[in-house]
């Protein structure tokens, strides 16, 4: 999928590869709706799985890298699931080689809401609903085979599905969702979520990946 000589269109870490300080993190608690760049291919139809976080954390925004805060279980679980060939360390920024590997395997990453906060529960219901609707509109351009939203509480609010559970979703309940794109909700991989450790998350990632039809 990704040609040799891959060149990233993502911005480098605003901190130039150094670790964020507390003062740095505070500076990224803004209303910027584009606090972090997506990991997406240049053309539609190249993704097998689109992973959707809820919104960037402050550390993630500070280094412009998804799920970057140390202690987040995202990258360890993705690697244990066999979806990366090594453990990605995004704590100081996402390496171009790691971005290229994700896209070559058909894995993209975005967020429901682009504004960075210390915690996802700082988002209000309107933000989540607007972000959820925006994701649906973007799917016609991105065209992944499956979408995995990481966070059941925000999913319930954003898509007005108060009884939704983790796992595969009935997309007929979501206005405008393309019929040929499957949807799963997976646990929030933040270190604050003690209910799911790396092996649990890895198992879930494998299940989502294996559900993709060739």
């Amino acid at each position: 999928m990704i040609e040799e000589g891959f060149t990233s269109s993502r911005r480098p870490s605003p901190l130039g590869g150094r670790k964020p300080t507390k003062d740095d993190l505070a500076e990224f608690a803004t209303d910027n709706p584009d606090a972090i760049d997506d990991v997406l291919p240049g053309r539609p139809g190249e993704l097998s799985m689109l992973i959707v976080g809820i919104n960037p954390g402050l550390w993630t925004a500070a280094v412009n890298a998804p799920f970057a805060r140390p202690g987040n279980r995202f990258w360890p679980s993705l690697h244990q699931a066999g979806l990366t060939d090594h453990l990605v360390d995004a704590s100081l920024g996402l390496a171009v080689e790691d971005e290229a590997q994700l896209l070559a395997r058909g894995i993209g990453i975005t967020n429901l809401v682009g504004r960075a906060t210390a915690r996802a529960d700082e988002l209000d219901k309107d933000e989540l609903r607007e972000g959820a609707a925006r994701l649906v509109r973007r799917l016609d351009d991105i065209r992944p085979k499956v979408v995995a939203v990481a966070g059941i509480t925000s999913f319930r609010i954003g898509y007005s599905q108060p009884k939704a559970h983790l796992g595969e979703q009935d997309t007929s309940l979501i206005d405008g969702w393309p019929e040929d794109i499957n949807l799963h909700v997976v646990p929030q991989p933040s270190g604050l979520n003690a209910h799911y450790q790396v092996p649990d998350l890895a198992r879930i990632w494998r299940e989502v990946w294996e559900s993709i039809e060739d």
Side-chain angles (χ1 to χ4, degrees), residues 87-105:
L87 176 56
V88 172
D89 181 359
S91 62
L92 302 180
L94 184 65
V96 172
E97 295 79 8
D98 292 331
E99 179 189 0
Q101 178 191 173
L102 289 168
L103 294 176
R105 295 197 172 185

Side-chain angles (χ1 to χ4, degrees), residues 84-167:
T84 61
D85 60 19
H86 65 275
L87 176 56
V88 172
D89 181 359
S91 62
L92 302 180
L94 184 65
V96 172
E97 295 79 8
D98 292 331
E99 179 189 0
Q101 178 191 173
L102 289 168
L103 294 176
R105 295 197 172 185
I107 300 171
I109 305 174
T110 188
N111 289 284
L112 280 183
V113 177
R115 181 172 73 92
T117 61
R119 295 171 59 106
D121 59 13
E122 294 177 41
L123 302 175
D124 62 39
K125 292 181 179 180
D126 287 341
E127 282 183 287
L128 289 170
R129 288 167 182 157
E130 290 170 6
R134 178 173 175 266
L135 175 63
V136 173
R137 294 194 298 271
R138 296 178 70 196
L139 290 178
D140 281 335
D141 292 328
I142 302 173
R143 303 305 305 173
K145 294 180 179 178
V146 65
V147 172
V149 177
I152 186 63
T153 300
S154 296
F155 175 85
R156 287 169 175 161
I157 296 170
Y159 288 105
S160 301
Q161 301 292 322
K163 296 182 179 180
H165 296 284
L166 292 169

Side-chain angles (χ1 to χ4, degrees), residues 69-74 188-197 201:
R69 188 177 186 87
N72 193 294
R73 301 182 179 105
F74 176 78
Q188 168 65 259
S190 167
L192 298 174
N193 184 0
H195 297 292
Y196 292 90
Q197 300 301 314
L201 294 168

